[in-house]
């Protein structure tokens, strides 16, 4: 069965983050099989070979620790807006 991108996209959007990462890795593997794809491009090759499933190491925020944050909301056509509060 062949799915078009417009059929596949809603299913990907409903997927769990770990399933999305597996889909990315699968697509990268499939793309790497295409003859001459990223053959001489080191940056593309390192992305194709990257471990995108494992958790990233804890980020070191430095001496000040994690900065205080404000909640944001995304509005289509506008972007991220800092909420009042």
């Amino acid at each position: 069965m062949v799915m078009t991108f417009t059929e596949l996209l809603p299913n990907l959007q409903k997927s769990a983050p770990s399933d999305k990462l597996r889909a990315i890795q699968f697509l990268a593997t499939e793309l790497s099989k295409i003859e001459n794809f990223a053959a001489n491009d080191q940056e593309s090759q390192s992305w194709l070979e990257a471990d995108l499933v494992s958790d990233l190491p804890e980020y070191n925020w430095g001496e000040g620790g994690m900065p205080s944050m404000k909640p944001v909301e995304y509005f289509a056509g506008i972007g991220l807006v800092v909420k009042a509060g």
Side-chain angles (χ1 to χ4, degrees):
M1 176 178 128
V2 175
M3 255 189 197
T4 65
F5 180 71
T6 53
E7 294 169 328
L8 178 64
L9 189 57
N11 291 314
L12 280 173
Q13 289 173 325
K14 290 184 254 179
S15 298
S18 60
D19 291 333
K20 290 177 183 176
L21 288 171
R22 280 194 291 252
I24 290 169
Q25 283 191 318
F26 171 78
L27 292 171
T29 301
E30 289 300 303
L31 284 171
S32 69
K33 293 177 185 176
I34 297 172
E35 188 175 342
N36 295 327
F37 179 80
N40 296 317
D41 182 358
Q42 275 302 89
E43 184 177 5
S44 295
Q45 199 60 39
S46 32
W47 275 104
L48 289 171
E49 295 168 359
D51 178 10
L52 301 174
V53 176
S54 300
D55 289 336
L56 293 173
E58 191 73 27
Y59 184 77
N60 179 358
W61 291 98
E63 290 181 23
M66 184 185 297
S68 61
M69 296 178 260
K70 295 182 179 182
V72 295
E73 189 171 350
Y74 176 79
F75 293 98
I78 298 173
L80 289 178
V81 175
V82 177
K83 290 184 175 184

